[in-house]
Amino acid sequence: MTNIEKIKQLAGAVDADLLEEVESVILNAGKYVAAVTTMECAALNLQDRKGEDYRSEVTRTDAARSRAHNAFIDSVNFANKLADSFGTEKIYTGGPERRDYGDFAFAIVKEIYDNRQ
């Protein structure tokens, strides 16, 4: 079963008031991937920033990436608790490392991108 199929299965099992929580997994995955892209762009220093200006931009984008990552991890963990409660397959079975969650976020976004209509 694909990641999106697991998420759809969970969405079909939960009460209507929890649908936004399930949807937030997909939305937060996209936000995290976008935040990583923004941070990496800042690190590439395409605008040729110097000194404190460069450090400030990298720090700002890294903090935004960290917040997006935390939001994604929280939404995945809550969705897995819902899956346990409603008797569906967990949407995430990877490791506890932050990088594992990050890879999962990218996998969700890639799956959506690859299957877009």
Side-chain angles (χ1 to χ4, degrees):
M1 185 178 302
T2 69
N3 296 317
I4 298 301
E5 288 170 342
K6 290 177 190 177
I7 293 168
K8 287 175 78 173
Q9 178 187 55
L10 179 58
V14 300
D15 300 330
D17 60 331
L18 294 171
L19 284 174
E20 284 185 25
E21 297 295 334
V22 176
E23 184 181 64
S24 75
V25 172
I26 296 171
L27 297 175
N28 284 328
K31 290 175 185 176
Y32 172 66
V33 170
V36 168
T37 303
T38 300
M39 184 195 74
E40 291 300 324
C41 185
L44 288 172
N45 202 15
L46 298 177
Q47 295 184 13
D48 201 28
R49 292 179 173 94
K50 303 289 185 217
E52 182 57 35
D53 186 38
Y54 172 73
R55 284 188 296 279
S56 176
E57 184 64 12
V58 170
T59 299
R60 182 188 68 75
T61 58
D62 184 50
R65 180 209 48 83
S66 186
R67 285 190 305 274
H69 201 179
N70 290 341
F72 176 68
I73 291 169
D74 289 346
S75 64
V76 167
N77 290 340
F78 186 69
N80 271 352
K81 288 179 184 176
L82 289 175
D84 282 342
S85 294
F86 285 88
T88 65
E89 188 174 347
K90 287 185 176 187
I91 64 163
Y92 178 70
T93 58
E97 300 297 320
R98 291 178 67 82
R99 186 171 203 98
D100 296 330
Y101 279 94
D103 291 345
F104 180 56
F106 181 73
I108 290 171
V109 171
K110 183 174 181 342
E111 191 175 322
I112 289 171
Y113 185 84
D114 287 347
N115 295 307
R116 69 192 184 283
Q117 298 176 8

